[in-house]
């Protein structure tokens, strides 16, 4: 009978290293893999192929899926600086090297986005051919001059708000700050708890926000609605973006079946997102889980974020005292 276990405990451990130490001591059954431990424990053997290094493969098992998420930077279109200067937003888009960020900061565990829709969902870049910004410092400087700030002269610092205070989030900002500085843009980071971050962005009290969205349901509409004008804060359109053509196309596509007609409209919406640049699209992350060898029935399904009723513990976990501690 389901569920197979009587109780599931979900301890809140904000920092990655203490959490990994508890996992390696056998005190956690299931855990994600942070950047530093990924380098130590996992080896990439192909574009979408990974495996645990020795000796970790003797103690643990691992699974991964393309997450139904998009990570992006949202500009507050009501802000008198970034909201009113499209060339400045485009300069920031050209300055950021998403592919290098993925390689260095995420160990290759993500794919760049050209649309706001994650790769696995119909209506993403796998179905529509749309060009997007790629790292180009020369174009970034050209756009910065067009914005009225040649080489960054006279440009005030750009303030970025982040939805976490973790080491990984701070390191990610330092990467962004360095790339922007290389073209003449000074960035300042502000780090908040998730609830405090939501309070700031939903009240419009921000300039640039590091944001993301996890699918409520696996349809492109769930992501294109993030820039629908009527969804302004406290709705999910954090940028307060308003474009009449985009809104019309969104309303037309909401209940259309997937196919060439719908994808053609999605393409135009993606071109509007690119040209107006209310957001800078970043990446669709790969979700990794590492788990103890005694944990059974862990299945990959990105629309089921609580698969606990199927989980079971093999007899090897009974008592726990006889388990050898992992390295």
């Amino acid at each position: 009978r389901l569920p197979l276990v009587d109780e599931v405990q979900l301890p809140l451990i904000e920092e990655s290293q203490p959490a990994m130490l508890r996992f390696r001591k056998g005190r956690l059954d299931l855990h994600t893999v942070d950047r530093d431990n990924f380098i130590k424990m996992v080896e990439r053997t192909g574009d979408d192929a990974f495996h645990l290094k020795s000796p970790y493969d003797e103690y643990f098992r691992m699974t991964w899926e393309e997450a139904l998420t998009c990570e992006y930077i949202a500009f507050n279109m009501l802000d008198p600086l970034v909201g009113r200067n499209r060339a400045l937003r485009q300069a920031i888009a050209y300055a950021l090297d998403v592919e290098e960020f993925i390689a260095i900061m995420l160990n290759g565990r993500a794919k760049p986005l050209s649309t706001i829709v994650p790769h696995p969902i119909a209506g993403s870049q796998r179905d529509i051919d749309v060009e997007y910004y790629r790292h180009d410092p020369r174009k970034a400087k050209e756009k910065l001059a067009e914005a009225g700030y040649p080489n960054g002269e006279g440009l005030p610092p750009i303030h970025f708000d982040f939805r976490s205070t973790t080491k990984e989030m701070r390191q990610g900002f330092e990467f962004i700050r360095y790339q922007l500085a290389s073209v003449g843009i000074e960035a300042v980071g502000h780090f908040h708890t998730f609830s405090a971050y939501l309070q700031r962005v939903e009240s419009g009290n921000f300039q640039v926000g590091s944001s993301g969205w996890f699918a409520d349901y696996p349809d492109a509409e769930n992501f294109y609605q993030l820039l629908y004008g009527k969804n302004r804060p406290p709705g999910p359109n954090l940028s307060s973006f308003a474009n009449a053509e985009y809104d019309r196309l969104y309303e037309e596509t909401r209940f259309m079946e997937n196919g060439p007609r719908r994808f053609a409209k999605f393409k135009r919406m993606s071109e509007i997102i690119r040209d107006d640049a209310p957001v800078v699209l970043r990446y669709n992350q790969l979700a990794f889980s590492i788990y103890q060898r005694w944990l059974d029935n862990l299945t990959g399904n990105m629309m089921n974020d609580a698969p606990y009723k199927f989980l079971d513990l093999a007899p090897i976990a009974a008592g726990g005292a006889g388990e050898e501690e992992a390295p």
Side-chain angles (χ1 to χ4, degrees):
R1 295 180 56 186
L2 297 178
L4 299 175
V5 294
D6 297 324
E7 179 180 272
V8 174
Q9 296 181 1
L10 303 174
L12 178 60
I13 309 172
E14 293 189 355
E15 291 297 333
S16 57
Q17 199 57 30
M20 181 56 76
L21 287 174
R22 286 187 64 178
F23 174 80
R24 287 168 59 177
K25 289 179 179 293
R27 297 174 184 169
L28 293 176
D29 299 290
L30 173 67
H31 189 43
T32 57
V33 191
D34 62 277
R35 173 175 173 261
D36 292 338
N37 282 294
F38 190 90
I39 295 171
K40 184 188 305 181
M41 301 173 70
V42 181
E43 186 173 40
R44 187 174 194 146
T45 56
D47 288 343
D48 292 311
F50 304 85
H51 72 264
L52 287 167
K53 297 177 182 178
S54 177
Y56 303 106
D57 57 350
E58 300 176 19
Y59 295 88
F60 312 126
R61 289 183 283 182
M62 183 177 66
T63 184
W64 67 92
E65 298 282 338
E66 284 186 274
L68 302 185
T69 61
C70 68
E71 290 287 331
Y72 59 95
I73 289 172
F75 296 106
N76 184 355
M77 299 298 282
L78 304 180
D79 181 78
L81 177 61
V82 299
R84 299 177 184 176
N85 197 324
R86 181 171 64 175
L88 175 58
R89 300 193 298 273
Q90 292 173 335
I92 292 173
Y94 277 123
L96 297 179
D97 190 339
V98 174
E99 292 187 354
E100 187 176 7
F101 184 95
I102 291 171
I104 295 176
M105 303 305 298
L106 300 176
N107 320 106
R109 293 176 291 163
K111 296 180 179 180
L113 288 171
S114 296
T115 75
I116 201 167
V117 182
H119 291 245
I121 295 178
S124 69
Q125 61 211 67
R126 75 178 191 183
D127 297 307
I128 62 176
D129 181 20
V130 58
E131 294 185 2
Y132 194 67
Y133 301 96
R134 291 294 178 254
H135 181 56
D136 192 327
R138 179 183 61 82
K139 287 185 178 180
K141 291 181 179 180
E142 289 176 358
K143 285 294 182 180
L144 201 53
E146 181 184 331
Y149 305 102
N151 298 315
E153 296 172 8
L155 178 65
I158 306 296
H159 292 264
F160 285 72
D161 283 281
F162 292 87
R163 59 189 191 274
S164 171
T165 62
T166 63
K167 178 186 71 173
E168 289 79 9
M169 192 67 74
R170 294 177 185 274
Q171 289 175 338
F173 166 68
E174 287 303 315
F175 189 96
I176 291 172
R177 185 183 66 81
Y178 172 80
Q179 290 198 320
L180 293 178
S182 68
V183 299
I185 300 172
E186 181 183 354
V188 177
H190 306 280
F191 304 89
H192 314 278
T193 63
F194 186 60
S195 59
Y197 172 83
L198 286 180
Q199 187 174 26
R200 284 182 68 87
V201 296
E202 289 179 357
S203 65
N205 184 26
F206 77 105
Q207 192 170 49
V208 185
S210 174
S211 194
W213 190 261
F214 188 98
D216 298 300
Y217 41 88
D219 188 83
E221 181 272 338
N222 191 229
F223 290 86
Y224 285 111
Q225 59 97 21
L226 296 174
L227 291 169
Y228 179 49
K230 293 183 180 180
N231 285 347
R232 294 180 184 182
N237 179 2
L238 301 182
S239 295
S240 295
F241 179 59
N243 180 291
E245 182 184 5
Y246 183 94
D247 289 352
R248 175 180 59 81
L249 290 168
Y250 170 76
E251 291 170 356
E252 291 174 359
T253 58
R254 282 190 69 188
F255 303 112
M256 289 180 68
E257 291 186 3
N258 286 319
R261 290 184 61 247
R262 195 185 198 207
F263 295 160
K265 294 177 185 292
F266 284 162
K267 179 175 181 178
R268 178 58 191 146
M269 294 166 73
S270 296
E271 290 171 345
I272 293 171
I273 294 173
R274 177 197 63 202
D275 296 341
D276 283 1
V279 298
V280 178
L281 304 176
R282 302 182 71 200
Y283 52 85
N284 170 196
Q285 196 154 3
L286 303 179
F288 280 75
S289 293
I290 185 171
Y291 57 104
Q292 305 287 355
R293 55 183 173 171
W294 57 71
L295 185 65
D296 287 339
N297 303 334
L298 180 66
T299 58
N301 184 333
M302 285 292 97
M303 286 311 301
N304 183 8
D305 59 355
Y308 309 121
K309 70 178 180 179
F310 301 106
L311 297 182
D312 196 9
L313 297 176
I316 192 173
E323 270 301 295
E324 180 184 358
E325 183 175 318

